[in-house]
Amino acid sequence: MTSSTLPLAPETTTVSGTGASAESAGYWPWATPTRTTRNLTADGWVRGHDPRTVASGRARAQDPDYPEWLGHVRAASACKHPIRLAGQIHVNDADGNRMATVDTEDMPDGAIYTPCGNRRAAVCPSCAELYRRDTYHLIKAGLQGDRWGLPPLNEHIAIFLTATAPSFGPVHHRVVKVHAADCRKKDGCTCRPSVCHPFGRTCPHGQELRCGQRHKAADTQLGQPLCLDCYDHVGQVVWNHEAPELWRRTIQQADRELRRLGRAHGVDLRRRYIKVYEFQVRGVIHYHALIRLDGYNPDCPEAIVPPPAGITRQMFADAVEAAFLKTAYTSASHPANGGQGWHIAWGDKGLDLKHVNAPGHEVNLAQITGYIAKYVTKSTEVTGLSLRRVDDLSVEIHGDPGTHLGRLIRACWDLGEHPDYTRLRRWAHQFGYGGHIATKSRAFSVTLGFLRLQRTIWRRTEGHPHTWDDEQTERVIYELGYQATGWITTGDALLANTAAAMARAQHLAGIDALADELAATRAVRPLAA
């Protein structure tokens, strides 16, 4: 058969619907499409994008000033909701005289684009990833040291602990006693779990407090009470409300225990820590904390020195555990509790305490650093509900008394009428918890502000931080105000995010190439003489 007898495909072929065959479409047998394509002539969609998005993106890309605009929005190109600032930027000389003034009206779009900086991945994945990476390096510096003015911290003792809340009623849970060797992802774990609640009685409300299922990791029943009326929703939101105060008292008690330990050995000890909170599926928080033990130099109290050799890891762990066991108090009184307060203490299951980089233990620096850093981008998404704020109107919608989360929100709103519990209404969207996502000791590591400054210096000097001049920076005066939030058009968002994705891909490719080069260098060994 010659080429003239081959069944050639037509020049223009449009496939619509799902019943078109390869023969009717005119495709060669080996070029049969594996999926149908949308009829572009019918609705104008292009690769899943709205025709208005495509039109606005095409108009922007065809603009002669498009390269200038792309460089202008580079700092916020990956942000989902960038903030546009308008105003003037003044540059003064050393004597304070005005040298130049730049107006945002002369810039592309008449504004300066800056990232929103939101830490929640559900709101802005790009800014949340940047926040996670900053937290990662902050924790790594506090464990490893030897950077940013911190001394080497390899000789310092550190423990990682998880402190949970008490039980407020039986809920559906998933417990895996033995995980497989290749099980790494908690949310996607496929290991065989234990039976949820194999034994139980019938509660006064007629509900049987037992469950014979083996729940999957994504089961929607997880965290739901076995009996909605038996569960102490009021006690849970009050515990969330008091959790920051409970931690403050606990860390003060830990200082007392360490001073007692130091006096017994004739030494002075200092503790440094960083902690983050995480929401459980039932809507209550628990803390992950990394506590480092330091020594004390009377000649230089601000110096970070290793603890004395006579203090062991077990002594440190016993002191911290004693602090958590001893700390408990009664909250402010409330009419909903008969004019009394609630007993606030940690859960009765005890601390999950592990030594970091200890001989014979599996917990190392990389695991702990990544484990803690990933939680700073999360909030209440694990519970299935993610809200901004709750007000008089939205509480009627989200405070459904027929659901577990609705009762938690309603409990926050009702208890918040009391003057001592007004913060419950402010933080009803977080089921009463109003603390910071992460807190740390001042001497544990550097600050997030320091890391942002280093990134700013690198960006403004284009990779040459040694040319940075602090005095020159102080001469730049910003008079900027809020203009708007978000991209002007969806086409702008598409182009900016695509450029950011290509830049990230190029960066990752460079990292992979450098890793391969280093691996090849290590693999080369000189031959024996």
Side-chain angles (χ1 to χ4, degrees):
M1 179 181 296
T2 62
S3 60
S4 59
T5 60
L6 289 174
L8 298 178
E11 295 181 359
T12 303
T13 302
T14 302
V15 180
S16 61
T18 57
S21 62
E23 295 180 359
S24 62
Y27 286 97
W28 289 357
W30 55 84
T32 302
T34 57
R35 60 180 179 179
T36 59
T37 58
R38 301 191 64 167
N39 192 339
L40 303 182
T41 59
D43 53 15
W45 283 67
V46 178
R47 296 186 181 275
H49 296 293
D50 187 273
R52 291 170 295 183
T53 301
V54 177
S56 59
R58 184 180 292 112
R60 173 70 76 177
Q62 292 176 350
D63 192 324
D65 296 332
Y66 171 66
E68 181 183 358
W69 174 85
L70 197 60
H72 181 65
V73 303
R74 178 182 178 184
S77 58
C79 182
K80 195 173 183 179
H81 308 285
I83 299 174
R84 303 202 299 271
L85 303 176
Q88 294 180 336
I89 303 175
H90 306 290
V91 180
N92 297 340
D93 58 13
D95 298 329
N97 299 321
R98 186 64 48 84
M99 296 177 57
T101 298
V102 180
D103 199 312
T104 57
E105 289 294 333
D106 301 330
M107 300 179 180
D109 296 339
I112 292 178
Y113 287 82
T114 181
C116 66
N118 198 297
R119 67 162 185 87
R120 298 175 61 181
V123 178
C124 183
S126 175
C127 293
E129 176 63 15
L130 184 62
Y131 191 89
R132 185 197 67 81
R133 293 185 179 184
D134 284 350
T135 306
Y136 176 89
H137 288 288
L138 184 148
I139 300 172
K140 184 178 180 180
L143 282 179
Q144 182 175 328
D146 203 15
R147 62 188 309 189
W148 297 323
L150 294 172
L153 303 174
N154 299 328
E155 300 180 4
H156 293 243
I157 300 174
I159 58 175
F160 174 73
L161 61 88
T162 300
T164 59
S167 175
F168 302 99
V171 298
H172 294 276
H173 61 240
R174 184 177 188 271
V175 177
V176 179
K177 296 182 178 179
V178 179
H179 287 271
D182 57 346
C183 181
R184 293 292 183 270
K185 189 176 181 181
K186 180 177 65 174
D187 298 336
C189 175
T190 58
C191 302
R192 179 180 174 84
S194 303
V195 177
C196 180
H197 285 279
F199 308 102
R201 55 179 176 81
T202 302
C203 71
H205 306 95
Q207 296 289 338
E208 191 174 4
L209 302 181
R210 65 179 301 273
C211 176
Q213 298 184 19
R214 299 180 187 269
H215 297 289
K216 296 182 179 179
D219 196 333
T220 56
Q221 285 188 322
L222 293 177
Q224 300 299 313
L226 297 181
C227 178
L228 203 59
D229 295 326
C230 291
Y231 196 84
D232 187 9
H233 295 89
V234 172
Q236 176 170 321
V237 298
V238 170
W239 195 93
N240 280 344
H241 176 266
E242 297 291 331
E245 175 64 16
L246 178 61
W247 173 264
R248 186 185 70 86
R249 297 190 180 206
T250 303
I251 207 65
Q252 288 180 347
Q253 183 63 33
D255 290 339
R256 300 187 190 100
E257 298 294 333
L258 290 178
R259 283 197 297 268
R260 188 177 296 112
L261 176 62
R263 286 195 299 267
H265 292 79
V267 296
D268 290 328
L269 301 174
R270 296 290 185 272
R271 57 100 188 111
R272 323 289 185 188
Y273 76 90
I274 183 171
K275 73 168 179 65
V276 299
Y277 74 80
E278 178 193 5
F279 268 97
Q280 293 180 338
V281 184
R282 56 176 173 153
V284 70
I285 68 145
H286 61 284
Y287 284 129
H288 299 293
L290 183 64
I291 306 179
R292 189 188 73 215
L293 184 64
D294 296 346
Y296 179 75
N297 185 359
D299 297 331
C300 185
E302 300 298 328
I304 301 177
V305 296
I311 305 300
T312 64
R313 294 179 181 270
Q314 192 58 43
M315 293 179 183
F316 182 35
D318 292 340
V320 173
E321 189 171 5
F324 277 83
L325 293 176
K326 293 180 180 179
T327 305
Y329 69 99
T330 301
S331 65
S333 60
H334 197 285
N337 197 31
Q340 298 179 353
W342 285 267
H343 179 73
I344 306 299
W346 299 102
D348 53 1
K349 293 184 178 180
L351 287 177
D352 182 10
L353 193 148
K354 300 177 181 178
H355 297 280
V356 180
N357 288 341
H361 290 71
E362 297 179 357
V363 180
N364 55 41
L365 184 148
Q367 291 175 338
I368 292 300
T369 304
Y371 186 79
I372 297 178
K374 73 176 181 179
Y375 286 116
V376 298
T377 65
K378 299 181 180 181
S379 185
T380 59
E381 294 87 355
V382 67
T383 64
L385 185 66
S386 180
L387 303 176
R388 300 286 290 185
R389 288 289 185 192
V390 177
D391 52 23
D392 293 323
L393 296 178
S394 59
V395 72
E396 299 297 333
I397 301 175
H398 302 292
D400 183 8
T403 63
H404 172 56
L405 300 182
R407 291 199 179 191
L408 292 176
I409 295 176
R410 176 60 67 177
C412 290
W413 202 256
D414 294 341
L415 294 176
E417 293 181 350
H418 194 274
D420 294 335
Y421 290 88
T422 54
R423 284 175 58 86
L424 278 174
R425 285 196 169 187
R426 173 177 173 81
W427 299 103
H429 61 291
Q430 292 202 145
F431 314 123
Y433 182 76
H436 293 285
I437 176 63
T439 57
K440 74 175 189 69
S441 301
R442 182 176 300 177
F444 177 84
S445 180
V446 296
T447 63
L448 291 174
F450 174 82
L451 296 180
R452 297 189 187 103
L453 177 60
Q454 298 302 310
R455 185 163 49 251
T456 300
I457 293 175
W458 182 273
R459 183 172 60 249
R460 292 184 179 179
T461 60
E462 297 182 352
H464 300 84
H466 60 278
T467 62
W468 178 259
D469 185 3
D470 292 334
E471 295 182 359
Q472 184 177 359
T473 304
E474 295 176 355
R475 302 171 191 167
V476 181
I477 303 174
Y478 295 90
E479 295 181 354
L480 301 174
Y482 174 79
Q483 185 188 70
T485 298
W487 299 99
I488 297 180
T489 65
T490 53
D492 290 352
L494 178 63
L495 292 174
N497 292 337
T498 302
M502 295 176 63
R504 287 195 301 268
Q506 184 179 5
H507 175 69
L508 294 176
I511 293 178
D512 293 340
L514 180 60
D516 294 341
E517 183 179 352
L518 292 176
T521 303
R522 294 191 186 101
V524 176
R525 294 289 186 271
L527 297 177

